[in-house]
Coordinates of all heavy atoms in Angstrom, one line a residue:
M1 N -34.8 29.9 -14.8 CA -33.8 30.2 -13.8 C -32.5 30.6 -14.5 O -32.0 31.7 -14.4 CB -33.6 29.0 -12.9 CG -33.5 29.5 -11.5 SD -34.2 28.3 -10.3 CE -32.8 27.4 -9.9
Y2 N -31.9 29.6 -15.2 CA -30.6 29.8 -15.9 C -30.9 29.9 -17.4 O -31.7 29.1 -17.9 CB -29.6 28.7 -15.6 CG -29.2 28.7 -14.1 CD1 -29.6 27.7 -13.3 CD2 -28.3 29.7 -13.6 CE1 -29.3 27.7 -11.9 CE2 -27.9 29.6 -12.3 CZ -28.4 28.7 -11.5 OH -28.0 28.7 -10.1
P3 N -30.2 30.7 -18.1 CA -30.4 30.7 -19.5 C -29.8 29.4 -20.1 O -28.8 28.9 -19.6 CB -29.6 31.9 -20.0 CG -28.7 32.3 -18.9 CD -29.2 31.7 -17.6
Q4 N -30.4 28.9 -21.1 CA -30.0 27.7 -21.8 C -29.0 28.0 -22.8 O -29.3 28.2 -24.0 CB -31.2 27.0 -22.4 CG -32.3 26.5 -21.4 CD -31.7 25.4 -20.5 OE1 -30.8 24.6 -20.9 NE2 -32.2 25.3 -19.3
D5 N -27.7 28.0 -22.4 CA -26.6 28.3 -23.3 C -26.1 26.9 -23.8 O -25.7 26.1 -23.0 CB -25.5 29.1 -22.6 CG -24.4 29.4 -23.5 OD1 -24.6 29.4 -24.7 OD2 -23.3 29.7 -23.0
P6 N -26.0 26.7 -25.1 CA -25.6 25.3 -25.6 C -24.1 25.1 -25.2 O -23.8 23.9 -24.9 CB -25.8 25.4 -27.1 CG -26.5 26.7 -27.4 CD -26.5 27.5 -26.2
A7 N -23.3 26.1 -25.2 CA -21.9 25.9 -24.8 C -21.7 25.5 -23.4 O -21.0 24.6 -23.0 CB -21.1 27.1 -25.1
T8 N -22.5 26.1 -22.5 CA -22.5 25.8 -21.1 C -23.0 24.3 -20.9 O -22.4 23.6 -20.1 CB -23.3 26.7 -20.2 OG1 -22.8 28.1 -20.5 CG2 -23.2 26.5 -18.8
A9 N -24.0 24.0 -21.5 CA -24.6 22.6 -21.4 C -23.6 21.6 -21.9 O -23.5 20.5 -21.3 CB -25.9 22.5 -22.2
H10 N -22.9 21.9 -23.0 CA -21.9 21.0 -23.5 C -20.7 20.8 -22.5 O -20.3 19.7 -22.3 CB -21.4 21.5 -24.8 CG -20.3 20.6 -25.4 ND1 -20.6 19.4 -26.0 CD2 -19.0 20.8 -25.6 CE1 -19.5 18.8 -26.4 NE2 -18.5 19.7 -26.2
V11 N -20.3 21.9 -21.9 CA -19.2 21.8 -20.9 C -19.6 21.0 -19.7 O -18.9 20.2 -19.2 CB -18.7 23.2 -20.5 CG1 -17.8 23.2 -19.3 CG2 -18.0 23.9 -21.7
L12 N -20.8 21.3 -19.2 CA -21.3 20.5 -18.0 C -21.5 19.1 -18.3 O -21.2 18.2 -17.5 CB -22.7 21.1 -17.6 CG -22.6 22.5 -16.8 CD1 -23.9 23.0 -16.5 CD2 -21.8 22.3 -15.5
R13 N -22.0 18.7 -19.5 CA -22.1 17.3 -19.9 C -20.8 16.6 -19.9 O -20.6 15.5 -19.5 CB -22.8 17.2 -21.2 CG -23.4 15.9 -21.5 CD -24.2 15.8 -22.8 NE -25.2 16.8 -22.8 CZ -25.3 17.8 -23.8 NH1 -24.4 17.9 -24.7 NH2 -26.3 18.7 -23.7
A14 N -19.8 17.3 -20.5 CA -18.4 16.7 -20.5 C -17.8 16.6 -19.1 O -17.2 15.6 -18.8 CB -17.5 17.6 -21.4
F15 N -18.1 17.6 -18.3 CA -17.6 17.5 -16.9 C -18.2 16.3 -16.2 O -17.5 15.6 -15.5 CB -17.9 18.8 -16.2 CG -17.5 18.8 -14.8 CD1 -16.1 18.9 -14.4 CD2 -18.4 18.7 -13.8 CE1 -15.8 18.8 -13.0 CE2 -18.1 18.7 -12.4 CZ -16.8 18.8 -12.1
F16 N -19.5 16.2 -16.3 CA -20.1 15.1 -15.5 C -19.9 13.7 -16.1 O -20.2 12.7 -15.5 CB -21.6 15.4 -15.3 CG -21.9 16.5 -14.3 CD1 -22.4 17.7 -14.6 CD2 -21.6 16.3 -13.0 CE1 -22.6 18.7 -13.7 CE2 -21.8 17.2 -12.0 CZ -22.3 18.5 -12.4
T17 N -19.4 13.7 -17.3 CA -19.0 12.4 -17.9 C -17.6 12.0 -17.4 O -17.4 10.8 -17.2 CB -19.0 12.6 -19.5 OG1 -20.3 12.9 -19.9 CG2 -18.6 11.2 -20.1
I18 N -16.7 13.0 -17.3 CA -15.4 12.7 -16.9 C -15.2 12.6 -15.4 O -14.4 11.8 -14.9 CB -14.4 13.8 -17.5 CG1 -14.4 13.7 -19.0 CG2 -13.0 13.7 -16.9 CD1 -13.7 14.8 -19.7
L19 N -16.1 13.2 -14.6 CA -16.0 13.2 -13.2 C -16.0 11.8 -12.6 O -15.1 11.5 -11.7 CB -17.1 14.1 -12.6 CG -17.1 14.2 -11.1 CD1 -15.8 15.0 -10.6 CD2 -18.3 15.0 -10.6
P20 N -16.9 10.9 -12.9 CA -16.8 9.5 -12.4 C -15.5 8.8 -12.7 O -15.1 8.0 -11.8 CB -18.0 8.8 -13.0 CG -18.9 9.9 -13.5 CD -18.1 11.1 -13.8
I21 N -14.9 9.1 -13.8 CA -13.6 8.4 -14.1 C -12.6 8.9 -13.1 O -11.8 8.1 -12.6 CB -13.2 8.8 -15.6 CG1 -14.2 8.1 -16.5 CG2 -11.8 8.3 -15.8 CD1 -14.1 8.6 -18.0
F22 N -12.5 10.2 -12.8 CA -11.6 10.7 -11.8 C -11.9 10.2 -10.4 O -10.9 10.0 -9.7 CB -11.6 12.3 -11.9 CG -10.8 12.8 -13.0 CD1 -11.4 13.6 -13.9 CD2 -9.5 12.5 -13.2 CE1 -10.7 14.2 -15.0 CE2 -8.7 13.0 -14.3 CZ -9.4 13.9 -15.2
I23 N -13.1 10.1 -10.1 CA -13.5 9.6 -8.8 C -13.0 8.1 -8.6 O -12.4 7.8 -7.6 CB -15.0 9.7 -8.5 CG1 -15.4 11.2 -8.3 CG2 -15.4 8.9 -7.3 CD1 -16.8 11.4 -8.3
V24 N -13.3 7.3 -9.6 CA -12.8 5.9 -9.5 C -11.3 5.8 -9.5 O -10.7 5.0 -8.8 CB -13.5 5.1 -10.7 CG1 -12.8 3.7 -10.8 CG2 -14.9 5.0 -10.5
L25 N -10.7 6.6 -10.3 CA -9.2 6.6 -10.3 C -8.6 7.0 -9.0 O -7.7 6.4 -8.5 CB -8.7 7.6 -11.4 CG -7.2 7.6 -11.6 CD1 -6.7 6.3 -12.1 CD2 -6.9 8.7 -12.6
G26 N -9.2 8.1 -8.4 CA -8.7 8.5 -7.0 C -9.0 7.5 -6.0 O -8.1 7.2 -5.1
I27 N -10.1 6.8 -6.0 CA -10.4 5.7 -5.0 C -9.4 4.6 -5.2 O -8.9 4.0 -4.2 CB -11.8 5.2 -5.2 CG1 -12.8 6.3 -4.6 CG2 -12.0 3.9 -4.4 CD1 -14.2 6.0 -4.8
T28 N -9.1 4.2 -6.5 CA -8.1 3.2 -6.7 C -6.7 3.5 -6.2 O -6.0 2.7 -5.7 CB -8.1 2.9 -8.3 OG1 -9.4 2.6 -8.7 CG2 -7.2 1.7 -8.6
I29 N -6.3 4.8 -6.5 CA -5.0 5.2 -6.0 C -4.9 5.1 -4.5 O -3.8 4.9 -4.0 CB -4.7 6.6 -6.5 CG1 -4.5 6.6 -8.1 CG2 -3.6 7.3 -5.8 CD1 -4.4 8.0 -8.7
V30 N -5.9 5.3 -3.8 CA -5.9 5.3 -2.3 C -6.1 3.8 -1.8 O -5.4 3.4 -0.9 CB -6.9 6.2 -1.7 CG1 -7.1 6.0 -0.2 CG2 -6.6 7.6 -2.1
L31 N -7.0 3.1 -2.4 CA -7.4 1.8 -1.8 C -6.3 0.7 -2.1 O -6.1 -0.2 -1.2 CB -8.7 1.3 -2.3 CG -9.9 2.0 -1.6 CD1 -11.2 1.3 -2.2 CD2 -9.9 1.9 -0.1
V32 N -5.7 0.7 -3.2 CA -4.8 -0.4 -3.6 C -3.6 -0.4 -2.6 O -3.2 -1.4 -2.0 CB -4.3 -0.3 -5.0 CG1 -3.2 -1.3 -5.3 CG2 -5.5 -0.7 -5.9
P33 N -2.9 0.7 -2.3 CA -1.8 0.7 -1.4 C -2.2 0.3 0.0 O -1.5 -0.4 0.7 CB -1.2 2.1 -1.4 CG -1.6 2.7 -2.7 CD -3.0 2.0 -3.0
T34 N -3.4 0.9 0.5 CA -3.8 0.6 1.9 C -4.2 -0.9 2.0 O -4.1 -1.5 3.0 CB -4.9 1.5 2.3 OG1 -6.0 1.4 1.4 CG2 -4.4 2.9 2.5
W35 N -4.8 -1.5 0.9 CA -5.1 -2.9 0.9 C -3.8 -3.7 1.1 O -3.8 -4.7 1.9 CB -5.8 -3.2 -0.4 CG -6.3 -4.6 -0.6 CD1 -5.6 -5.7 -0.9 CD2 -7.6 -5.1 -0.4 NE1 -6.4 -6.8 -0.9 CE2 -7.7 -6.4 -0.6 CE3 -8.8 -4.4 0.0 CZ2 -8.9 -7.2 -0.5 CZ3 -10.0 -5.2 0.1 CH2 -10.0 -6.5 -0.2
R36 N -2.8 -3.4 0.4 CA -1.5 -4.1 0.5 C -0.9 -3.9 1.9 O -0.3 -4.9 2.4 CB -0.5 -3.7 -0.6 CG -1.0 -4.0 -2.0 CD -0.9 -5.5 -2.4 NE 0.5 -5.8 -2.3 CZ 1.0 -7.0 -2.1 NH1 0.2 -8.0 -1.9 NH2 2.3 -7.2 -2.1
I37 N -0.9 -2.7 2.4 CA -0.4 -2.5 3.7 C -1.1 -3.3 4.8 O -0.5 -3.9 5.7 CB -0.4 -0.9 4.0 CG1 0.6 -0.2 3.2 CG2 -0.1 -0.7 5.5 CD1 0.5 1.3 3.2
C38 N -2.4 -3.3 4.7 CA -3.2 -4.1 5.7 C -2.8 -5.6 5.6 O -2.7 -6.3 6.6 CB -4.7 -3.9 5.5 SG -5.2 -2.2 6.1
Q39 N -2.7 -6.1 4.3 CA -2.3 -7.5 4.2 C -0.9 -7.8 4.8 O -0.7 -8.7 5.5 CB -2.2 -7.8 2.7 CG -3.5 -8.2 2.1 CD -3.3 -8.6 0.6 OE1 -2.4 -8.2 0.0 NE2 -4.3 -9.4 0.1
K40 N 0.0 -6.9 4.5 CA 1.4 -7.1 5.0 C 1.5 -7.0 6.5 O 2.4 -7.5 7.1 CB 2.4 -6.2 4.3 CG 2.6 -6.5 2.8 CD 3.6 -5.6 2.2 CE 3.8 -6.0 0.8 NZ 4.8 -5.2 0.1
A41 N 0.6 -6.2 7.1 CA 0.6 -6.0 8.5 C -0.1 -7.1 9.3 O 0.0 -7.2 10.5 CB 0.0 -4.6 8.9
G42 N -0.7 -8.0 8.5 CA -1.4 -9.1 9.2 C -2.9 -8.8 9.5 O -3.5 -9.6 10.2
F43 N -3.4 -7.7 9.1 CA -4.8 -7.3 9.3 C -5.6 -7.7 8.1 O -5.1 -8.1 7.1 CB -4.9 -5.8 9.6 CG -4.2 -5.3 10.8 CD1 -3.1 -4.5 10.7 CD2 -4.7 -5.7 12.0 CE1 -2.4 -4.1 11.8 CE2 -4.0 -5.3 13.2 CZ -2.9 -4.5 13.1
S44 N -6.9 -7.6 8.3 CA -7.8 -7.9 7.2 C -7.7 -6.8 6.1 O -7.8 -5.6 6.5 CB -9.3 -8.0 7.7 OG -10.2 -8.0 6.6
P45 N -7.5 -7.2 4.9 CA -7.4 -6.1 3.9 C -8.7 -5.3 3.7 O -8.6 -4.2 3.2 CB -7.1 -6.9 2.6 CG -7.0 -8.3 2.9 CD -7.3 -8.5 4.4
W46 N -9.8 -5.8 4.2 CA -11.0 -5.1 4.1 C -11.0 -3.8 5.0 O -11.9 -3.0 4.8 CB -12.2 -6.0 4.4 CG -12.4 -7.1 3.4 CD1 -12.0 -8.4 3.5 CD2 -13.0 -6.9 2.1 NE1 -12.3 -9.0 2.3 CE2 -12.9 -8.2 1.4 CE3 -13.5 -5.8 1.4 CZ2 -13.4 -8.4 0.2 CZ3 -14.0 -6.0 0.1 CH2 -14.0 -7.3 -0.5
M47 N -10.1 -3.8 5.9 CA -10.0 -2.6 6.7 C -9.6 -1.3 5.9 O -9.8 -0.2 6.3 CB -8.9 -2.7 7.8 CG -9.4 -3.6 8.9 SD -8.1 -3.9 10.2 CE -7.8 -2.2 10.7
S48 N -9.1 -1.6 4.7 CA -8.7 -0.4 3.8 C -9.9 0.3 3.4 O -9.8 1.5 2.9 CB -7.9 -0.9 2.6 OG -8.7 -1.7 1.8
L49 N -11.1 -0.3 3.4 CA -12.3 0.4 3.1 C -12.6 1.6 4.0 O -13.5 2.4 3.8 CB -13.5 -0.5 3.0 CG -13.4 -1.6 1.9 CD1 -14.6 -2.5 1.9 CD2 -13.3 -0.9 0.5
L50 N -12.0 1.6 5.2 CA -12.1 2.7 6.1 C -11.6 4.0 5.5 O -12.0 5.1 5.9 CB -11.3 2.5 7.4 CG -12.0 1.6 8.4 CD1 -11.0 1.3 9.6 CD2 -13.3 2.2 8.9
M51 N -10.8 3.9 4.4 CA -10.3 5.1 3.8 C -11.4 5.9 3.0 O -11.3 7.1 2.8 CB -9.2 4.7 2.8 CG -8.0 4.2 3.4 SD -7.1 5.3 4.5 CE -6.4 6.4 3.3
L52 N -12.5 5.2 2.8 CA -13.7 5.8 2.1 C -14.6 6.5 3.0 O -15.4 7.3 2.6 CB -14.4 4.8 1.3 CG -13.6 4.0 0.2 CD1 -14.5 3.0 -0.5 CD2 -13.1 5.0 -0.8
V53 N -14.5 6.3 4.3 CA -15.4 6.8 5.3 C -14.7 8.1 5.9 O -13.5 8.1 6.2 CB -15.6 5.8 6.5 CG1 -16.5 6.4 7.6 CG2 -16.2 4.5 5.9
P54 N -15.5 9.2 6.0 CA -14.9 10.4 6.6 C -14.4 10.1 8.0 O -15.1 9.5 8.8 CB -16.1 11.4 6.7 CG -17.0 10.9 5.6 CD -16.8 9.4 5.6
L55 N -13.2 10.5 8.3 CA -12.4 10.3 9.5 C -12.0 8.8 9.7 O -11.3 8.5 10.6 CB -13.2 10.8 10.8 CG -13.4 12.3 10.8 CD1 -14.2 12.6 12.1 CD2 -12.1 13.0 10.8
G56 N -12.5 7.9 8.8 CA -12.1 6.5 8.9 C -10.6 6.4 8.5 O -9.9 5.5 9.0
N57 N -10.1 7.3 7.7 CA -8.7 7.2 7.3 C -7.8 7.5 8.5 O -6.8 6.9 8.7 CB -8.4 8.1 6.1 CG -8.9 9.5 6.4 OD1 -9.4 9.9 7.4 ND2 -8.7 10.4 5.4
L58 N -8.2 8.4 9.4 CA -7.4 8.6 10.6 C -7.5 7.5 11.5 O -6.5 7.1 12.2 CB -8.0 9.9 11.3 CG -7.7 11.2 10.6 CD1 -8.4 12.4 11.3 CD2 -6.2 11.4 10.4
I59 N -8.7 6.8 11.6 CA -8.8 5.6 12.5 C -7.9 4.5 12.0 O -7.1 3.9 12.7 CB -10.3 5.1 12.5 CG1 -11.1 6.2 13.2 CG2 -10.4 3.8 13.2 CD1 -12.6 5.9 13.1
L60 N -7.9 4.3 10.6 CA -7.0 3.3 10.0 C -5.5 3.6 10.3 O -4.7 2.8 10.6 CB -7.3 3.1 8.6 CG -6.4 2.0 7.8 CD1 -6.7 0.7 8.4 CD2 -6.7 2.1 6.4
L61 N -5.2 4.9 10.1 CA -3.8 5.3 10.3 C -3.3 5.0 11.8 O -2.2 4.5 12.0 CB -3.7 6.8 10.0 CG -2.3 7.4 10.2 CD1 -1.3 6.9 9.2 CD2 -2.4 8.9 10.1
Y62 N -4.2 5.3 12.8 CA -3.8 5.1 14.1 C -3.8 3.6 14.4 O -3.0 3.1 15.2 CB -4.8 5.8 15.1 CG -4.4 7.2 15.3 CD1 -4.8 8.2 14.5 CD2 -3.5 7.5 16.3 CE1 -4.4 9.5 14.7 CE2 -3.1 8.8 16.6 CZ -3.5 9.8 15.7 OH -3.1 11.1 15.9
I63 N -4.7 2.8 13.8 CA -4.6 1.3 14.0 C -3.3 0.8 13.5 O -2.6 0.0 14.2 CB -5.8 0.7 13.3 CG1 -7.1 0.9 14.1 CG2 -5.6 -0.9 13.3 CD1 -8.4 0.5 13.4
L64 N -2.9 1.2 12.3 CA -1.7 0.7 11.7 C -0.5 1.2 12.5 O 0.6 0.5 12.5 CB -1.6 1.1 10.2 CG -2.6 0.3 9.3 CD1 -2.5 0.9 7.9 CD2 -2.3 -1.1 9.3
A65 N -0.5 2.4 13.0 CA 0.6 3.0 13.7 C 0.9 2.3 15.1 O 2.0 2.1 15.4 CB 0.4 4.5 13.8
F66 N -0.2 2.0 15.8 CA 0.0 1.6 17.2 C -0.3 0.2 17.5 O -0.1 -0.3 18.6 CB -0.8 2.6 18.1 CG -0.3 4.0 18.1 CD1 -1.1 5.0 17.5 CD2 0.9 4.3 18.6 CE1 -0.6 6.3 17.4 CE2 1.4 5.6 18.6 CZ 0.6 6.6 18.0
A67 N -0.8 -0.6 16.6 CA -1.1 -2.0 16.8 C 0.1 -2.8 16.6 O 1.1 -2.4 15.9 CB -2.2 -2.4 15.9
D68 N 0.1 -4.0 17.2 CA 1.2 -4.9 16.9 C 0.9 -5.6 15.6 O -0.1 -6.2 15.4 CB 1.3 -6.0 18.0 CG 1.8 -5.4 19.4 OD1 2.6 -4.4 19.3 OD2 1.4 -5.9 20.4
W69 N 1.9 -5.6 14.7 CA 1.7 -6.2 13.4 C 1.9 -7.7 13.6 O 3.0 -8.1 14.1 CB 2.7 -5.6 12.4 CG 2.3 -4.2 12.0 CD1 1.5 -3.3 12.6 CD2 2.7 -3.6 10.8 NE1 1.4 -2.2 11.9 CE2 2.1 -2.3 10.7 CE3 3.5 -4.0 9.7 CZ2 2.3 -1.4 9.7 CZ3 3.7 -3.1 8.7 CH2 3.1 -1.8 8.7
R70 N 1.0 -8.5 13.1 CA 1.1 -9.9 13.2 C 1.9 -10.5 12.0 O 1.3 -11.1 11.1 CB -0.3 -10.5 13.3 CG -1.0 -10.0 14.5 CD -2.4 -10.6 14.5 NE -3.2 -10.1 13.5 CZ -4.2 -9.2 13.7 NH1 -4.5 -8.8 14.9 NH2 -4.9 -8.8 12.7
V71 N 3.2 -10.3 12.0 CA 4.0 -10.8 10.9 C 5.2 -11.5 11.5 O 5.5 -11.3 12.7 CB 4.5 -9.7 10.0 CG1 3.4 -9.0 9.2 CG2 5.3 -8.6 10.8
V72 N 5.8 -12.4 10.8 CA 6.9 -13.2 11.2 C 8.2 -12.3 11.1 O 8.4 -11.8 10.1 CB 7.1 -14.5 10.4 CG1 8.3 -15.3 10.8 CG2 5.8 -15.3 10.5
P73 N 8.9 -12.2 12.2 CA 10.2 -11.4 12.1 C 11.1 -12.1 11.0 O 11.1 -13.3 10.8 CB 10.8 -11.5 13.5 CG 9.7 -11.9 14.4 CD 8.7 -12.7 13.5
I74 N 11.9 -11.2 10.4 CA 12.7 -11.7 9.3 C 13.7 -12.7 9.7 O 14.1 -13.6 8.9 CB 13.4 -10.5 8.6 CG1 13.9 -10.9 7.2 CG2 14.5 -9.9 9.4 CD1 13.7 -10.0 6.1
D75 N 14.3 -12.7 10.9 CA 15.3 -13.7 11.2 C 14.7 -15.1 11.5 O 15.5 -16.0 11.6 CB 16.2 -13.2 12.4 CG 15.4 -12.6 13.5 OD1 14.2 -12.2 13.3 OD2 15.9 -12.5 14.6
Q76 N 13.4 -15.2 11.6 CA 12.8 -16.5 11.7 C 12.5 -17.2 10.4 O 12.1 -18.3 10.3 CB 11.5 -16.4 12.5 CG 11.7 -16.1 14.0 CD 10.4 -16.0 14.7 OE1 9.4 -16.4 14.2 NE2 10.5 -15.6 16.0
L77 N 12.8 -16.5 9.3 CA 12.5 -17.0 8.0 C 13.7 -17.7 7.4 O 13.6 -18.1 6.2 CB 12.0 -15.9 7.1 CG 10.6 -15.3 7.5 CD1 10.3 -14.1 6.5 CD2 9.5 -16.3 7.4
G78 N 14.8 -17.7 8.0 CA 15.9 -18.4 7.5 C 16.9 -17.5 6.8 O 17.9 -18.0 6.2
Y79 N 16.7 -16.2 6.9 CA 17.7 -15.3 6.3 C 18.9 -15.1 7.2 O 18.8 -15.3 8.4 CB 17.0 -13.9 6.0 CG 16.0 -13.9 4.9 CD1 14.6 -13.9 5.3 CD2 16.4 -14.0 3.6 CE1 13.7 -13.9 4.3 CE2 15.4 -14.1 2.6 CZ 14.1 -14.0 2.9 OH 13.1 -14.0 1.9
P80 N 20.1 -14.8 6.7 CA 21.2 -14.5 7.6 C 21.0 -13.3 8.4 O 20.2 -12.4 8.1 CB 22.4 -14.3 6.6 CG 21.7 -13.9 5.3 CD 20.4 -14.6 5.3
P81 N 21.6 -13.3 9.6 CA 21.4 -12.1 10.5 C 21.9 -10.8 9.9 O 22.9 -10.9 9.1 CB 22.1 -12.5 11.8 CG 23.1 -13.5 11.3 CD 22.5 -14.2 10.2
Y82 N 21.3 -9.7 10.3 CA 21.8 -8.4 9.8 C 22.5 -7.8 10.9 O 22.1 -7.8 12.0 CB 20.6 -7.6 9.3 CG 21.0 -6.3 8.6 CD1 21.4 -6.3 7.3 CD2 21.1 -5.1 9.3 CE1 21.9 -5.2 6.7 CE2 21.5 -4.0 8.7 CZ 21.9 -4.0 7.4 OH 22.3 -2.9 6.8
P83 N 23.6 -7.1 10.7 CA 24.4 -6.9 9.5 C 25.2 -8.2 9.2 O 25.5 -9.0 10.1 CB 25.3 -5.8 9.8 CG 25.4 -5.8 11.3 CD 24.2 -6.3 11.8
P84 N 25.6 -8.4 8.0 CA 26.4 -9.6 7.7 C 27.7 -9.5 8.4 O 28.3 -8.4 8.6 CB 26.5 -9.6 6.2 CG 26.0 -8.2 5.7 CD 25.3 -7.6 6.8
Q85 N 28.3 -10.6 8.6 CA 29.6 -10.7 9.3 C 30.7 -10.5 8.3 O 30.8 -11.1 7.3 CB 29.7 -12.1 10.0 CG 28.7 -12.3 11.0 CD 28.7 -13.8 11.5 OE1 29.5 -14.6 11.0 NE2 27.9 -14.1 12.4
Y86 N 31.6 -9.5 8.7 CA 32.8 -9.2 7.8 C 34.0 -9.5 8.6 O 34.1 -9.2 9.8 CB 32.7 -7.8 7.4 CG 31.7 -7.5 6.4 CD1 30.5 -6.8 6.7 CD2 31.8 -8.0 5.1 CE1 29.5 -6.6 5.8 CE2 30.8 -7.8 4.1 CZ 29.7 -7.1 4.5 OH 28.7 -6.9 3.6
P87 N 35.0 -10.0 8.0 CA 35.1 -10.5 6.7 C 34.4 -11.9 6.6 O 34.2 -12.6 7.6 CB 36.6 -10.7 6.5 CG 37.1 -10.9 7.8 CD 36.3 -10.1 8.8
P88 N 33.9 -12.2 5.4 CA 33.2 -13.5 5.3 C 34.1 -14.6 5.6 O 35.3 -14.5 5.3 CB 32.7 -13.4 3.9 CG 33.5 -12.5 3.2 CD 34.0 -11.5 4.2
P89 N 33.6 -15.7 6.0 CA 34.5 -16.9 6.3 C 35.1 -17.4 5.0 O 34.4 -17.3 3.9 CB 33.5 -17.9 6.9 CG 32.1 -17.5 6.5 CD 32.2 -16.0 6.4
Y90 N 36.3 -17.9 5.1 CA 36.9 -18.4 3.9 C 36.3 -19.7 3.5 O 35.8 -20.5 4.3 CB 38.4 -18.7 4.2 CG 39.2 -17.4 4.4 CD1 39.6 -17.0 5.6 CD2 39.5 -16.6 3.3 CE1 40.3 -15.8 5.8 CE2 40.1 -15.4 3.5 CZ 40.6 -15.0 4.7 OH 41.2 -13.8 4.9
P91 N 36.4 -20.0 2.2 CA 35.8 -21.3 1.8 C 36.7 -22.5 2.3 O 37.9 -22.2 2.6 CB 35.9 -21.3 0.2 CG 36.8 -20.2 -0.1 CD 36.8 -19.2 1.1
P92 N 36.2 -23.7 2.4 CA 37.0 -24.8 2.9 C 38.2 -25.0 2.0 O 38.1 -24.9 0.8 CB 36.1 -26.0 3.0 CG 35.0 -25.6 2.1 CD 34.9 -24.1 2.1
Q93 N 39.4 -25.3 2.7 CA 40.6 -25.5 1.9 C 40.8 -27.0 1.7 O 40.8 -27.8 2.7 CB 41.8 -24.9 2.6 CG 41.7 -23.5 2.9 CD 41.8 -22.7 1.6 OE1 42.5 -23.0 0.7 NE2 40.9 -21.7 1.5
Y94 N 40.9 -27.5 0.5 CA 41.1 -28.9 0.2 C 42.6 -29.1 -0.1 O 43.3 -28.3 -0.6 CB 40.2 -29.3 -1.0 CG 38.8 -29.2 -0.7 CD1 38.0 -28.2 -1.2 CD2 38.1 -30.1 0.2 CE1 36.6 -28.1 -0.9 CE2 36.8 -30.0 0.5 CZ 36.0 -29.0 -0.1 OH 34.7 -28.9 0.2
P95 N 43.0 -30.4 0.2 CA 44.5 -30.6 -0.2 C 44.6 -30.6 -1.7 O 43.6 -30.9 -2.4 CB 44.7 -32.0 0.4 CG 43.4 -32.6 0.7 CD 42.4 -31.4 0.8
P96 N 45.7 -30.3 -2.2 CA 45.9 -30.2 -3.7 C 45.7 -31.6 -4.3 O 46.1 -32.6 -3.7 CB 47.3 -29.7 -3.9 CG 47.9 -29.7 -2.6 CD 46.9 -29.9 -1.5
Q97 N 45.1 -31.6 -5.5 CA 44.9 -32.9 -6.2 C 46.1 -33.3 -6.9 O 46.8 -32.5 -7.5 CB 43.7 -32.7 -7.2 CG 42.4 -32.3 -6.5 CD 41.8 -33.5 -5.7 OE1 42.0 -34.6 -6.0 NE2 41.1 -33.1 -4.6
S98 N 46.5 -34.6 -6.8 CA 47.7 -35.0 -7.5 C 47.4 -35.8 -8.8 O 46.4 -36.1 -9.2 CB 48.6 -35.9 -6.7 OG 47.9 -36.9 -6.0

């Protein structure tokens, strides 16, 4: 069918050797951030595997966009309210030491 050209066979062998590396790299680049986003949103991080399913990435995008995130609001964690109050309160004044 095809002529057996050694140069072509060498290029194809190199291509099919490097291709799985690029596939694993691409999957890693997509799954790691979506894993962290699902964790921070309070969902199961395993939902990030929807990114590997055709049209699953759109489903995950809509779930993350329109669902209520089960996280604690920042003002319940003990941080000062935003925006900070200006001017800041003065430090307590002590009588001079004699």
Side-chain angles (χ1 to χ4, degrees):
M1 221 148 96
Y2 294 105
Q4 295 295 331
D5 183 21
T8 305
H10 179 70
V11 169
L12 285 175
R13 196 174 307 119
F15 175 73
F16 285 114
T17 303
I18 295 173
L19 183 65
I21 296 170
F22 283 121
I23 290 173
V24 169
L25 184 65
I27 289 173
T28 304
I29 288 172
V30 170
L31 282 184
V32 169
T34 54
W35 185 278
R36 297 284 297 153
I37 289 171
C38 287
Q39 275 183 337
K40 289 182 179 183
F43 296 111
S44 172
W46 293 101
M47 286 178 58
S48 65
L49 294 178
L50 282 173
M51 295 299 286
L52 301 178
V53 178
L55 296 178
N57 52 4
L58 291 176
I59 294 169
L60 180 62
L61 179 68
Y62 276 88
I63 288 172
L64 290 173
F66 294 110
D68 291 330
W69 287 21
R70 298 178 291 252
V71 293
V72 178
I74 192 138
D75 43 342
Q76 291 182 5
L77 294 176
Y79 291 106
Y82 188 80
Q85 299 171 355
Y86 288 105
Y90 290 107
Q93 300 295 319
Y94 295 108
Q97 299 291 328
S98 46

